[in-house]
C-alpha cells in the first residue's frame, strides 16, 4: 500500500484547506485511517481518525473545525480544515493500518505542509 498526501499550502487565519490522502496498491487491506500532524519542535500528534466503518474521532483542539471523511470508491481520505489558526501550522501525515484478519501492517504518507499565517 502506498499513501499520497496532498492539499497543503499557505492560508490566512480563518481560512480553509482540504487535505487528501490517496491510497494505491492492496487497498482492500486498509482499515482505520488517521491524520497526524507535527509542528516544528513538537511531537507528532494524532488529529483525526476514521474507522473502516466510518466512525470518526478528533483531538479536542480541532473539534468543530476539522472533518475527516473517506471515499472508499476512490480509495481516498479527506481532512477538511476550516477556521484555521496559526497553531494548526504543521506537516500533516496520513497513516493507514490494516484491517482485522489481514497481516498486521502500517503505512505512512509523505506529509503535506500546512502553514497558517496570522
Amino acid at each position: 500500500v502506498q499513501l499520497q498526501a496532498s492539499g497543503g499550502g499557505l492560508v490566512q487565519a480563518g481560512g480553509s484547506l482540504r487535505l487528501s490522502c490517496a491510497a494505491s496498491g492492496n487497498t482492500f487491506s486498509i482499515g482505520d485511517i488517521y491524520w497526524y500532524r507535527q509542528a516544528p519542535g513538537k511531537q507528532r500528534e494524532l488529529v483525526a481518525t476514521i474507522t473502516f466503518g466510518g466512525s470518526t474521532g478528533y483531538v479536542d483542539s480541532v473539534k468543530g473545525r476539522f472533518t475527516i471523511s473517506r471515499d472508499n470508491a476512490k480509495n481516498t481520505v479527506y481532512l477538511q480544515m476550516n477556521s484555521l489558526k496559526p497553531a494548526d501550522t504543521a506537516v500533516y501525515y496520513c497513516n493507514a493500518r490494516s484491517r482485522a484478519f489481514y497481516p498486521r501492517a502500517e503505512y505512512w504518507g509523505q506529509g503535506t505542509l500546512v502553514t497558517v499565517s496570522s
Side-chain angles (χ1 to χ4, degrees):
V1 173
Q2 295 80 42
L3 302 178
Q4 180 72 37
S6 62
L10 174 63
V11 64
Q12 288 188 330
S16 297
L17 283 173
R18 188 177 79 159
L19 306 184
S20 298
C21 177
S24 59
N26 294 330
T27 57
F28 56 84
S29 67
I30 294 175
D32 302 346
I33 298 181
Y34 307 81
W35 280 101
Y36 286 81
R37 66 185 179 187
Q38 187 165 19
K42 295 188 176 181
Q43 289 188 331
R44 190 172 296 188
E45 70 167 343
L46 178 61
V47 175
T49 302
I50 187 163
T51 69
F52 180 76
S55 297
T56 59
Y58 303 91
V59 67
D60 285 347
S61 59
V62 308
K63 282 181 181 177
R65 301 188 297 122
F66 289 13
T67 303
I68 188 171
S69 61
R70 67 194 292 168
D71 184 337
N72 289 330
K74 295 182 178 180
N75 296 316
T76 301
V77 170
Y78 304 98
L79 185 67
Q80 177 67 43
M81 307 186 296
N82 299 328
S83 303
L84 282 162
K85 305 174 181 180
D88 296 317
T89 295
V91 178
Y92 285 71
Y93 300 89
C94 56
N95 169 268
R97 299 173 195 178
S98 54
R99 292 168 58 185
F101 307 112
Y102 281 83
R104 196 167 186 174
E106 184 175 14
Y107 311 96
W108 288 92
Q110 84 285 9
T112 184
L113 176 62
V114 172
T115 304
V116 184
S117 63
S118 57

